[in-house]
Amino acid sequence: MKVRHLIDSCDLTVKEVEELIKLANKIMDNPNKYNTCCKNKILATLFFEPSTRTRLSFEAAMHRLGGSVLGFADGASSSGAKGESVSDTVKTVSCYTDIIAMRHPKEGSAFVAAEVSNVPFINGGDGGHYHPTQTLTDLLTIYNVKNKFEDFVIGFCGDLKFGRTVHSLVKAMARYKNISFIFISPVELVIPDYLKKDVLEKNNIKYYESTNLEKEISKLDILYMTRVQKERFFNESDYIRLKDTYILNQEKLKNAKEDLCIMHPLPRVNEISREVDSDSRAAYFKQAKYGVYIRMALIMKLLEIEEKVC
Amino acid sequence: MLRVTSIAKGIVIDHIPAGEGIKIFNFLELDKVNYRVALLINVPSKKMKCKDIVKIENEINMNLDILSVLNENITINIIENEKIIKKYSPKIPQEIEGVIKCKNPRCITSVETKLKNKYILINEETKEYRCQYCEEVIKLTSL
Ligand SMILES: [Zn+2]
């Protein structure tokens, strides 16, 4: 793998993504074989804003590789709040550790960090911008459920305007053959223009927009749900009118394909009703498990640890 | 007609669309300098009917190509020994470093002000630039 730093999942080629997925699955099949791979290596988790799920996933990944972890979980109580810049923090921490994962509320902070880091750097989310390990997790989920990356109709449902996981996954999936998209959202929360123009239309990828999940669900191979947040609406009545339209339940699943793959970046609030959890098509809890394995694979690749050595 | 003496050494920014001269004056922060500066507005012009001119009796340590966002027909004259030694129109710059602040409130440059702002041209026709950090796209149609 050529990259030393990971800012956006599209920094990885299709082939590199494939390599990571292959390795993640090997680790999953035989975790004991890899449990000392990162012995004597240290991962720093620099979380300038709290995100327990992402941080624990990184830390679990490093521990399972036999490495250790240091860092902070909430930037408000550490260097950031004392006025130290991202670049100074990262420069310093890269003297102490072998690899860094960082989360920061501001967009472009990962670019700043990668510029100065002397060790491999992983973006654990920079504001509303990129979150590549989430996208890699989504890709691993799709691959493991479907055994391929081609020939899908993919539906995205919910907040498509602000949902960065949606934007990243659209870009990532647009690189595969015979993919089309259906974007299902209230008009207030439609997918941004730049994605339509620069990613989809430019590459002749079929897509259309809809406001009706029930109407579209039978066409989908993959359904990626996101939350419709109340704060995104101008007035409460619009929110109340719309919120149930975008909640997935058994009733709406009636006409869905037998092998539909239902995904969600988690945490969920109420956009997927609990009754769906036991449906064999629900893949969202698998996603959480896959998140650790893809991060293990990523850490190994970025540290250039050969599988043989393990 | 109002007369302003010619300058021996410096820059004359000519053919500025009428009304835009003050923007250049403010953009270059000429109100803060200690050398002679003249801002002429509504000067009769054969080519443009009416134009603004900025005369600066000093060197300017800045790439003036950025002025092309106002108008590409602006003329920049470099004066030495009372003679024009160079005359050119500003060209749309491929990169803009430092002079423009990112307006995205979620951009890292909004909190880390020591970072040098950098914009990269993505569409020459529409004058659209992308922030190197947050990738927010801006249309540069005024300064
Ligand atoms: Zn920016």
Side-chain angles (χ1 to χ4, degrees):
Chain A
M1 193 143 95
K2 275 195 217 90
V3 290
R4 245 168 84 76
H5 304 305
L6 184 65
I7 297 175
D8 173 21
S9 53
C10 284
D11 295 345
L12 299 168
T13 63
V14 166
K15 193 162 166 273
E16 285 166 336
V17 170
E18 204 175 280
E19 278 173 33
L20 280 173
I21 284 175
K22 220 183 255 174
L23 179 57
N25 278 327
K26 273 191 195 166
I27 299 171
M28 211 178 331
D29 290 343
N30 195 357
N32 290 338
K33 191 185 154 200
Y34 297 86
N35 63 14
T36 55
C37 268
C38 288
K39 208 178 146 204
N40 301 324
K41 302 277 187 198
I42 304 175
L43 165 76
T45 49
L46 311 181
F47 277 55
F48 288 87
E49 69 176 356
S51 171
T52 310
R53 194 177 293 269
T54 307
R55 185 174 54 84
L56 293 183
S57 184
F58 272 113
E59 296 188 353
M62 193 56 171
H63 285 306
R64 285 186 182 279
L65 290 167
S68 43
V69 179
L70 57 81
F72 49 85
D74 180 359
S77 59
S78 50
S79 57
K82 289 179 203 141
E84 192 178 38
S85 65
V86 167
S87 63
D88 284 1
T89 306
V90 169
K91 246 187 248 170
T92 312
V93 173
S94 66
C95 300
Y96 307 153
T97 58
D98 301 286
I99 183 164
I100 296 173
M102 183 183 91
R103 184 174 190 108
H104 193 284
K106 291 293 176 182
E107 298 172 13
S109 51
F111 177 87
V112 174
E115 288 263 282
V116 298
S117 179
N118 295 316
V119 298
F121 171 85
I122 303 169
N123 179 10
D126 60 338
H129 199 207
Y130 294 128
H131 191 7
T133 53
Q134 176 67 52
T135 306
L136 288 171
T137 303
D138 294 341
L139 291 172
L140 178 62
T141 308
I142 290 174
Y143 187 79
N144 284 6
V145 171
K146 294 286 191 183
N147 259 306
K148 61 173 186 175
F149 278 128
E150 299 168 3
D151 310 315
F152 294 134
V153 178
I154 307 176
F156 286 91
C157 177
D159 177 356
L160 309 187
K161 186 175 179 186
F162 298 98
R164 65 175 168 196
T165 54
V166 171
H167 307 162
S168 281
L169 191 58
V170 168
K171 281 195 271 177
M173 288 308 294
R175 307 197 289 187
Y176 297 99
K177 268 187 222 142
N178 197 21
I179 299 289
S180 59
F181 297 100
I182 303 175
F183 299 112
I184 306 152
S185 73
V187 285
E188 291 88 342
L189 299 174
V190 294
I191 196 110
D193 274 346
Y194 87 89
L195 268 178
K196 291 191 254 177
K197 269 193 232 138
D198 300 347
V199 179
L200 302 173
E201 284 159 28
K202 204 166 149 190
N203 296 300
N204 285 318
I205 294 165
K206 273 186 261 165
Y207 75 91
Y208 65 85
E209 297 175 88
S210 167
T211 54
N212 191 332
L213 174 61
E214 234 165 337
K215 208 179 101 197
E216 311 296 344
I217 202 162
S218 64
K219 299 167 195 146
L220 305 176
D221 300 301
I222 295 167
L223 171 60
Y224 198 97
M225 294 293 299
T226 63
R227 186 157 32 119
V228 174
Q229 284 169 288
K230 204 172 166 178
E231 308 84 90
R232 306 295 192 205
F233 289 89
F234 292 117
N235 62 61
E236 183 128 4
S237 61
D238 278 348
Y239 171 72
I240 291 166
R241 177 171 55 83
L242 288 164
K243 72 175 184 14
D244 290 343
T245 327
Y246 301 98
I247 291 177
L248 185 67
N249 54 22
Q250 281 300 348
E251 172 67 22
K252 289 201 187 82
L253 274 169
K254 223 171 41 202
N255 297 319
K257 286 185 184 170
E258 284 293 305
D259 62 347
L260 172 70
C261 172
I262 305 167
M263 299 173 68
H264 188 291
L266 300 181
R268 129 187 91 171
V269 179
N270 60 353
E271 55 280 10
I272 301 179
S273 115
R274 313 267 145 184
E275 66 195 29
V276 180
D277 293 0
S278 54
D279 192 301
S280 61
R281 293 170 285 190
Y284 36 92
F285 288 116
K286 286 182 205 154
Q287 276 170 274
K289 185 179 110 183
Y290 291 148
V292 176
Y293 291 104
I294 200 75
R295 286 181 176 92
M296 289 170 80
L298 182 64
I299 291 169
M300 280 181 64
K301 287 278 186 191
L302 290 176
L303 287 175
E304 296 176 320
I305 291 169
E306 295 288 328
E307 278 179 72
K308 293 186 288 270
V309 184
C310 302
Chain B
M1 192 189 144
L2 183 71
R3 286 243 159 248
V4 174
T5 51
S6 58
I7 57 176
K9 184 177 165 65
I11 298 164
V12 176
I13 305 169
D14 200 355
H15 303 117
I16 304 167
E20 307 275 7
I22 184 73
K23 291 183 191 162
I24 293 180
F25 186 90
N26 290 333
F27 177 74
L28 297 175
E29 298 186 326
L30 295 174
D31 55 331
K32 297 193 179 88
V33 301
N34 54 12
Y35 42 78
R36 283 206 292 178
V37 175
L39 165 63
L40 291 91
I41 59 174
N42 298 327
V43 180
S45 156
K46 273 184 216 138
K47 222 162 62 176
M48 318 170 56
K49 231 157 91 181
C50 221
K51 65 177 182 182
D52 291 357
I53 303 173
V54 176
K55 294 187 177 191
I56 305 163
E57 201 168 44
N58 201 48
E59 286 167 40
I60 292 258
N61 197 9
M62 182 200 272
N63 186 343
L64 293 174
D65 277 337
I66 181 115
L67 301 183
S68 63
V69 307
L70 280 184
N71 193 304
E72 281 156 78
N73 299 321
I74 288 173
T75 314
I76 296 168
N77 302 288
I78 311 290
I79 318 277
E80 246 168 59
N81 298 323
E82 292 181 21
K83 281 197 190 90
I84 297 172
I85 59 154
K86 196 177 164 197
K87 186 178 189 142
Y88 66 99
S89 284
K91 277 192 195 69
I92 305 241
Q94 293 298 312
E95 280 180 16
I96 300 172
E97 233 182 278
V99 286
I100 292 173
K101 265 188 126 32
C102 183
K103 286 195 182 67
N104 175 6
R106 300 173 310 277
C107 181
I108 183 71
T109 58
S110 71
V111 286
E112 295 204 359
T113 45
K114 286 200 186 83
L115 286 169
K116 204 167 195 184
N117 278 277
K118 190 168 173 185
Y119 275 95
I120 293 144
L121 182 68
I122 51 167
N123 188 330
E124 199 164 324
E125 238 164 79
T126 54
K127 296 179 185 171
E128 278 175 308
Y129 285 83
R130 179 179 282 147
C131 171
Q132 170 180 247
Y133 299 98
C134 69
E135 299 185 288
E136 180 108 326
V137 174
I138 54 159
K139 231 183 215 172
L140 269 190
T141 46
S142 72
L143 289 170

